[in-house]
């Protein structure tokens, strides 16, 4: 048995039959893949932090990702960095000794734009509401609650927003159609190749416009309060 992955098992409780060994091998493979994926993401974020020229932007994202979502996030980070912007996220690149909401506010106040990715997190059976039961129960995919909080705080700050929602995630709160100024956001279909999304004209246009707003805001905010001109 691989000690690094199975040290937590009670040896007296492990069946040594062929079927159980096969199951444990599958668990080992999954854990190795997860560990390698997390290390890859951490390395990408460290590389972002090492850039000599960067403008910080808040990358609002769930912490729990499946393999397809992880691949999407890696590609998204590369796209942001290609614009010479530095994606920051809690708790990978930033962490303060404060409460969760205070950490979010600190990161919002020290960023010049925000990218929000509302990805599938929980699949739930909706049986009814406070006014009664549905005739036919339905299944919904929920995103992270922080994908409601963080973009809203960034909007209150006046940051340029780039919003992406995974297809199938319930459209509630700021992700509901018709909620200004969150009316326009891109939808990512995980069943399609990544290139179909990132090579689309819609993505390129939105990314370029957003990056221009971020950079313009950065220069405005970092200009001196008083300008002295010679007569």
């Amino acid at each position: 048995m691989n000690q690094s992955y199975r040290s937590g098992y009670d040896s007296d409780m492990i069946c040594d039959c062929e079927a159980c060994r096969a199951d444990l091998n599958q668990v080992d493979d999954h854990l190795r893949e997860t560990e390698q994926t997390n290390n890859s993401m951490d390395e990408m974020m460290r590389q972002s932090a090492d850039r000599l020229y960067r403008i910080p932007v808040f990358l609002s994202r769930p912490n729990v990702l499946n393999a397809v979502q992880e691949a999407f996030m890696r590609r998204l980070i590369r796209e942001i960095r290609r614009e010479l912007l530095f994606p920051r996220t809690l708790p990978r690149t930033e962490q303060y000794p404060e409460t969760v909401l205070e950490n979010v506010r600190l990161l919002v106040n020290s960023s010049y734009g925000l990218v929000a990715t509302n990805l599938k997190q929980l699949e739930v059976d909706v049986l009814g509401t406070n006014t009664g039961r549905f005739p036919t129960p339905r299944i919904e995919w929920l995103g992270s609650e922080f994908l409601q909080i963080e973009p809203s705080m960034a909007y209150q700050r006046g940051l340029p927003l780039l919003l992406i929602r995974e297809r199938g995630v319930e459209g509630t709160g700021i992700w509901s159609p018709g909620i200004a100024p969150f009316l326009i956001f891109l939808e990512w279909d995980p069943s399609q190749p990544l290139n179909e999304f990132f090579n689309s004209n819609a993505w390129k246009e939105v990314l370029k416009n957003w990056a221009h707003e971020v950079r313009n805001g950065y220069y405005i905010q970092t200009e001196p309060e008083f300008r002295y001109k010679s007569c």
Side-chain angles (χ1 to χ4, degrees), residues 108 114 149-161 174 180-182:
V108 166
L114 176 135
I149 297 171
E150 292 166 353
S152 299
M153 294 176 70
Y155 172 71
Q156 182 69 18
R157 176 70 175 174
L159 300 183
L161 304 177
I174 67 170
F182 305 96

Side-chain angles (χ1 to χ4, degrees), residues 17 27 35 68 73 82 88-89 96 102-103 107 115 119 122 131 159 170 177 179-180 186 195 198 207 211 218 227:
C17 69
V27 172
E35 186 178 69
V68 177
M73 292 303 307
R82 193 171 290 125
R88 313 158 71 203
T89 186
Y96 309 101
E102 182 67 19
N103 284 337
L107 192 54
V115 182
L119 307 179
L122 294 175
T131 59
L159 300 183
E170 185 183 25
I179 303 297
L186 296 174
N195 283 338
F198 287 105
L207 176 63
Y218 171 79
R227 298 185 185 182

Side-chain angles (χ1 to χ4, degrees), residues 198-227:
F198 287 105
N199 290 341
S200 67
N201 291 332
W203 163 251
K204 293 178 181 178
E205 179 182 7
V206 169
L207 176 63
K208 292 297 183 182
N209 288 339
W210 171 79
H212 172 74
E213 291 182 11
V214 170
R215 190 163 285 106
N216 187 53
Y218 171 79
Y219 288 128
I220 291 174
Q221 293 296 321
T222 54
E223 284 182 348
E225 183 177 358
F226 299 100
R227 298 185 185 182

Side-chain angles (χ1 to χ4, degrees), residues 85-105:
L85 302 176
F86 165 43
R88 313 158 71 203
T89 186
L90 294 166
R92 292 269 175 110
T93 64
E94 318 288 328
Q95 188 62 53
Y96 309 101
E98 305 289 348
T99 62
V100 174
L101 283 182
E102 182 67 19
N103 284 337
V104 173
R105 183 168 63 178

